[in-house]
Amino acid sequence: MIGLLLAAGSSSRLGEPKALLTLGQKTLVERSLQVLQASSLEVVLVLGAEINSIKAIIPSDSVEIFESEDWQMGQGSTLSECLRFLAPRKQDILVMLVDTPFVQNKHILAILQAHHDSPNQVIISSFHGQSSPPVLIPYQHQEKLYDWKGDKGFGPFWKSHPSICQWISFEDEYRDLDTPEDKIYWQEKCAT
């Protein structure tokens, strides 16, 4: 199975590259990679903005790096580009976003268990009722996202295909890292 970490965006709302933001002792990209690698997934790191700066802190032999050509068009375009690139491998893919510092190894393991129990279902995380990646997409459903465009997230996908989706609920708070206020929140939380 592939763990696909989307870290290609320019972070325009935050005003600085999210992937390079330090929380505690690690950058967001290092924290996210650590979570995926702890689950023994074959990790593909998707980069766009700040490619060279991110590559400089990631050991080249630790992950496969995919350089998106469509990253400026938004998350949906980047996701569809990656899924088409990975299609010949015919593997299930767990998609994680770099700006979700609340995601831990326990969440990935629960998602993998849910996939084991329901291998044909798209497994969607729900944090206090907020649906969000990580999302596990079995190979047979990935083509439904091949034409995803723009800055489209997963919401329209699961609303359009509820019969193939299964939600897994977590009690952890959902709060991504998009704004300067989010940055302050997470820096304070990770300092304790």
Side-chain angles (χ1 to χ4, degrees):
M1 182 178 301
I2 296 171
L4 185 65
L5 178 59
L6 299 182
S10 63
S11 311
S12 57
R13 283 194 292 165
L14 183 62
E16 61 184 290
K18 288 181 196 177
L20 296 171
L21 185 66
T22 299
L23 297 181
Q25 301 297 314
K26 295 186 175 122
T27 63
L28 271 178
V29 70
E30 290 171 312
R31 290 170 65 93
S32 300
L33 287 172
Q34 184 177 15
V35 168
L36 288 172
Q37 290 170 329
S39 302
S40 301
L41 298 174
E42 175 189 339
V43 179
V44 176
L45 172 60
V46 183
L47 300 178
E50 304 296 332
I51 288 177
N52 294 330
S53 298
I54 295 171
K55 280 182 170 182
I57 62 170
I58 303 300
S60 60
D61 60 345
S62 65
V63 297
E64 178 181 349
I65 294 176
F66 175 80
E67 296 183 18
S68 172
E69 295 179 6
D70 295 340
W71 68 270
Q72 292 178 319
M73 296 171 61
Q75 177 183 302
S77 295
T78 302
L79 176 63
S80 65
E81 177 189 17
C82 293
L83 293 177
R84 291 190 309 270
F85 169 76
L86 294 170
R89 301 186 195 185
K90 298 182 179 180
Q91 292 191 48
D92 300 333
I93 296 176
L94 186 143
V95 180
M96 184 169 157
L97 307 179
V98 77
D99 67 346
T100 52
F102 54 88
V103 175
Q104 302 169 35
N105 184 250
K106 68 178 181 177
H107 302 123
I108 303 300
L109 294 176
I111 292 165
L112 294 175
Q113 182 60 52
H115 173 65
H116 179 268
D117 297 341
S118 302
N120 297 317
Q121 294 287 105
V122 175
I123 308 297
I124 302 160
S125 303
S126 176
F127 296 91
H128 270 201
Q130 172 70 47
S131 297
S132 167
V135 173
L136 196 152
I137 310 166
Y139 173 71
Q140 69 263 34
H141 298 308
Q142 292 168 18
E143 67 182 47
K144 295 173 178 70
L145 291 160
Y146 286 174
D147 293 324
W148 226 231
K149 299 281 186 237
D151 204 21
K152 193 186 295 189
F154 281 102
F157 174 80
W158 51 65
K159 288 175 185 168
S160 300
H161 304 286
S163 64
I164 62 167
C165 295
Q166 175 183 327
W167 279 260
I168 181 167
S169 295
F170 299 110
E171 291 303 314
D172 304 83
E173 176 187 11
Y174 173 88
R175 183 164 184 166
D176 59 4
L177 209 159
D178 281 336
T179 66
E181 293 78 22
D182 295 331
K183 174 184 172 181
I184 292 167
Y185 171 86
W186 281 109
Q187 286 179 328
E188 289 175 353
K189 187 171 180 73
C190 294
T192 58

